[in-house]
Amino acid sequence: MHAVVVYESMYGNTHRIAEAIGAGLETAFDVRVVSVTQAMPEVIADADLVVVGGPTHVHGMSRASTRKAAVQAADKPVGGLQVEPDALDPGLREWFGSLGDYPVRAAAFDTRMHGPATLTGRAARGVTRLLRQHGFNVVAEPESFLVTKQDRLEPQEEDRARDWAAKLAAGIARS
């Protein structure tokens, strides 16, 4: 079986979570982890599972304006943040706009600030909604992985992402 993990990332946190998810899925799948800018329709066309995630910006999925603000925030000397090479390129919202229907199993994840989702928002909810609108069969509740106020992954989040994906893979392998 073949799985594709599609991610959007600004500072590398979501990229690291996507890689950890890919590692967890390897228990049952041949896995390809790709940035949203590389996720052409042919990349997901033969997938048995597509896992999609991105950072939470202003309570939801990123937009061109929030990606620009994230890059500008990284330019401040205090934060020490490194911006992903494709941070200003179109993100998940635009990617979904280019997709047709895919009757494939799928799951969603995001990275967001540590705190109640009602205060921080959750991009994975919007990702899940768009997956369903494009015919994907969503097989798991959306999952959030947490970052600090300094935009660094919380300790153990990569391990938690690997475990979440391994459980997801095991559930699909049993079905």
Side-chain angles (χ1 to χ4, degrees):
M1 290 196 301
H2 178 67
V4 178
V5 181
V6 178
Y7 70 90
E8 173 186 347
S9 187
M10 297 293 112
Y11 305 135
N13 295 316
T14 313
H15 185 170
R16 288 173 51 199
I17 292 297
E19 293 289 348
I21 288 170
L25 292 174
E26 286 178 345
T27 59
F29 292 91
D30 290 324
V31 180
R32 184 168 177 193
V33 179
V34 296
S35 167
V36 66
T37 60
Q38 300 169 337
M40 302 307 156
E42 58 273 11
V43 171
I44 63 170
D46 65 342
D48 299 294
L49 172 68
V50 177
V51 181
V52 181
T56 301
H57 284 202
V58 192
H59 294 276
M61 295 169 59
S62 76
R63 299 180 182 279
S65 61
T66 64
R67 288 190 295 275
K68 183 178 177 184
V71 169
Q72 289 172 341
D75 286 340
K76 295 180 181 174
V78 177
L81 296 171
Q82 295 292 320
V83 178
E84 291 273 296
D86 57 0
L88 287 174
D89 291 344
L92 290 174
R93 189 182 300 266
E94 294 85 0
W95 178 71
F96 276 111
S98 73
L99 289 183
D101 283 350
Y102 290 86
V104 174
R105 290 177 282 206
F109 72 97
D110 63 26
T111 52
R112 65 178 178 87
M113 293 289 238
H114 194 133
T118 54
L119 297 178
T120 65
R122 288 185 69 193
R125 286 189 181 143
V127 171
T128 299
R129 180 180 46 79
L130 289 171
L131 285 167
R132 286 189 174 119
Q133 285 178 1
H134 287 276
F136 289 91
N137 175 20
V138 177
V139 295
E141 290 296 315
E143 188 64 41
S144 290
F145 299 96
L146 305 176
V147 298
T148 67
K149 290 181 181 176
Q150 293 76 35
D151 287 310
R152 306 283 190 252
L153 281 175
E154 290 277 347
Q156 308 303 315
E157 288 301 90
E158 288 173 275
D159 291 338
R160 199 167 68 76
R162 229 177 337 273
D163 292 345
W164 175 75
K167 289 175 188 170
L168 178 63
I172 291 171
R174 283 192 302 268
S175 63

